[in-house]
């Protein structure tokens, strides 16, 4: 029961404005040209519903947030959270939901690929208590999907297949970005959700799956209106890291796996460079030094753009970060050599010694650079 506002010393107090029944949470990055159309469509399809929309924009350089706030001047149901210094689809959705006090939330993309006509039906199902979570699925038909190019569709279907096989998920589209649920349920699990990556729904299902009553309904994933997709090969790599991390019961963090993969790529880069440099009659020591330098630059660049892309360093920060990274990795290198030497002398198993040295230095490089170079 909502308490009535009290009259203070005989003065009238304005009546409260009812809170919306549903908050549509829309993560945006570079969606300037889609915002207005999306709002127009929501206004049409949600007639008779008490709704609001919260755009969560990561300071898109194209001024998406400014457009949303400008439109919000004319309609208080249009809100925008502008985040600074952060990137990431899942994190943006989480913050949008946390800012809501409606009974239900619905997460959807800004680029008009999700069919807004489904929202009233999704709400109805929730209001009738038929489920806790309702997912609009792209894969309940065998038709080719308009919104995905051939390669993207294969990748996406493959990722879905992997999550079904390895994570024992029976949903047809656990990676959908279009779903609605009770807000209080989301609030209960919010602290356990990862802001990294794009698979918020999968994360919710993994955290809370057995306790949730889930319904899926089909929809036709439309082609993008304006702009381009931000989910690329990096998103797929991210997803593979999630699967691996799950396979170790989350003992090994997803980021470490990416960091480790980057480290392995560094070895490949090193040997490739060394081979190239040794084609001529080069001095081995110089070639080895140059190859190591290229590998370390490549490792830093990959970690900055892949492992830590949500905290990507640029400009002078990147230079400072790189200098620190080199310093940290040289300590890692020394510990690698000393530990493997120690094991080798004691045990004589060269492969065990080499492996142990590599793992210890990887853990060192990872934890120290997480604390000093890409600290949150
Ligand atoms: N705030 C914020 N920050 N929003 C982002 C970011 C980010 O870093 N990256 C993407 N978005 C927004 C986009 O502006 C868009 O509204 C929505 O998130 C989806 O991004 P797209 O780049 O359009 O993704 P997609 O269409 O390629 O991917 C689709 O499939 C994925 C799973 O395969 C979407 O439906 C995703 O939601 C879905 O997870
Ligand atoms: Mn899209």
């Amino acid at each position: 029961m909502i308490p009535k506002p009290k009259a203070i010393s005989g003065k009238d107090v304005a009546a409260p404005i009812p809170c919306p029944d549903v908050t549509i949470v829309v993560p945006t990055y570079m969606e300037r040209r889609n915002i207005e159309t999306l709002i127009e469509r929501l206004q049409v399809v949600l007639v008779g519903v008490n709704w609001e929309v919260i755009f969560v924009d990561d300071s898109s350089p194209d001024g998406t947030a400014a457009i949303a706030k400008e439109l919000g001047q004319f309609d208080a149901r249009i809100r925008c959270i502008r985040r600074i210094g952060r990137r990431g689809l899942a994190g943006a959705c989480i913050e949008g939901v946390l800012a809501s006090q409606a009974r239900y939330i619905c997460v959807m993309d800004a680029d008009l690929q999700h069919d807004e006509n489904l929202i009233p039906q999704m709400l109805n199902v929730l209001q009738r208590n038929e489920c806790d979570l309702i997912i609009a699925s792209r894969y309940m038909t065998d038709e080719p999907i308009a919104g995905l190019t051939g390669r993207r569709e294969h990748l996406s279907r493959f990722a879905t297949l992997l999550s079904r096989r390895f994570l024992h998920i029976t949903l047809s589209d656990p990676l959908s970005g279009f779903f609605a649920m009770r807000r209080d349920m989301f609030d209960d699990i919010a602290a356990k959700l990862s802001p990294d990556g794009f698979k918020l729904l999968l994360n919710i299902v993994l955290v809370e799956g057995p306790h949730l009553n889930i319904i899926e309904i089909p929809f036709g994933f439309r082609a993008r209106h304006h702009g381009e997709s931000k989910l690329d090969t990096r998103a797929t790599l991210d997803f593979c890291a999630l699967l691996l991390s799950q396979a170790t019961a989350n003992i090994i963090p997803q980021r470490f796996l990416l960091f480790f993969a980057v480290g392995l790529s560094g070895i490949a880069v090193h040997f490739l460079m060394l081979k190239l440099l040794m084609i001529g009659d080069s001095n081995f020591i110089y070639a080895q030094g140059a190859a190591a330098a290229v590998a370390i630059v490549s490792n830093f660049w990959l970690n900055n753009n892949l492992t830590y892309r949500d905290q990507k360093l640029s400009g002078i920060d990147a230079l400072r970060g790189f200098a620190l990274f080199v310093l940290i990795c040289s300590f890692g290198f020394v510990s690698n050599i000393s530990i493997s030497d120690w094991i080798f002398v004691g045990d004589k198993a060269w492969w065990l010694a080499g492996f142990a040295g590599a793992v210890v230095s990887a853990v060192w490089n990872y934890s120290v650079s997480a604390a000093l170079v890409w600290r949150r």
Side-chain angles (χ1 to χ4, degrees), residues 109 111 113 224:
D109 292 352
D111 54 7
Q113 293 195 277
R224 207 171 219 287

Side-chain angles (χ1 to χ4, degrees), residues 70-368:
E70 206 177 298
L71 295 167
Q73 305 277 302
F74 305 100
D75 188 341
R77 296 175 301 182
I78 301 165
R79 295 172 54 199
C80 174
I81 297 174
R82 187 182 142 212
R83 306 199 304 167
I84 295 175
R86 270 174 298 163
R87 273 300 301 275
L89 178 46
C93 296
I94 294 173
E95 277 183 49
V97 177
L98 292 182
S100 159
Q101 50 208 31
R103 186 178 262 273
Y104 304 105
I105 55 102
C106 174
V107 175
M108 76 186 296
D109 292 352
D111 54 7
L112 312 172
Q113 293 195 277
H114 290 155
D115 185 354
E116 64 289 337
N117 293 301
L118 256 68
I119 303 175
Q121 183 195 346
M122 292 162 87
L123 269 179
N124 272 331
V125 172
L126 287 172
Q127 277 162 341
R128 287 198 304 264
N129 249 328
E130 285 171 25
C131 65
D132 309 310
L133 167 64
I134 177 159
I135 302 168
S137 159
R138 295 166 292 182
Y139 302 124
M140 285 170 91
T141 74
D142 285 329
E143 305 277 301
I145 298 166
L148 293 177
T149 57
R151 195 180 71 92
R152 269 296 307 273
E153 179 170 350
H154 289 315
L155 264 179
S156 184
R157 281 194 192 268
F158 181 62
T160 308
L161 193 87
L162 287 180
S163 63
R164 284 165 152 202
R165 166 124 332 157
F166 292 106
L167 307 174
H168 309 295
I169 282 175
T170 49
L171 299 168
S172 73
D173 192 2
L175 297 171
S176 175
F178 190 16
F179 59 91
M181 71 187 287
R182 281 186 23 203
R183 200 254 314 147
D184 59 346
M185 289 197 159
F186 189 99
D187 271 339
D188 286 346
I189 56 166
K192 294 186 208 150
L193 300 174
S194 156
D196 304 325
F198 64 99
K199 59 272 144 193
L200 177 62
L201 178 63
L202 178 66
N203 199 184
I204 294 174
V205 174
L206 286 176
V207 168
E208 201 58 355
H211 311 295
L212 285 181
N213 187 358
I214 306 175
I215 289 184
E216 280 190 296
I217 53 171
F219 82 104
F221 191 61
R222 299 185 288 222
R224 207 171 219 287
H225 216 60
H226 288 293
E228 53 197 40
S229 164
K230 280 107 223 161
L231 302 187
D232 38 22
T233 326
R234 294 191 298 197
T236 316
L237 269 174
D238 243 15
F239 179 71
C240 293
L242 170 90
L243 288 180
L244 275 174
S245 175
Q246 289 282 333
T248 66
N250 282 326
I251 294 169
I252 304 184
Q254 222 175 298
R255 255 200 234 275
F256 177 76
L257 289 167
L258 286 174
F259 193 89
F260 199 75
V262 168
L264 290 181
S265 82
I267 299 179
V269 168
H270 184 110
F271 279 100
L272 204 76
M273 271 315 288
L274 191 60
K275 172 129 184 74
L276 280 176
L277 292 170
M278 291 305 290
I279 288 176
D281 229 356
S282 308
N283 177 312
F284 175 76
I285 287 298
Y286 288 145
Q288 171 77 350
V294 172
I296 203 155
V297 170
S298 144
N299 279 5
F300 180 79
W301 188 85
L302 283 172
N303 278 321
N304 200 30
N305 285 282
L306 180 77
T307 320
Y308 289 103
R309 71 167 176 279
D310 51 331
Q311 289 160 249
K312 188 172 164 173
L313 303 172
S314 54
I316 192 82
D317 288 338
L319 277 181
R320 195 182 310 126
F322 178 66
L324 255 174
F325 185 73
V326 173
L327 196 70
I328 294 165
C329 292
S330 46
F331 277 106
F333 179 72
V334 173
S335 68
N336 182 344
I337 302 286
S338 344
I339 284 174
S340 43
D341 184 51
W342 176 62
I343 295 182
F344 184 70
V345 169
D347 201 308
K348 295 269 183 279
W350 63 268
W351 57 271
L352 179 70
F355 183 73
V359 168
V360 168
S361 69
V363 171
W364 158 271
N365 290 349
Y366 171 74
S367 34
V368 183

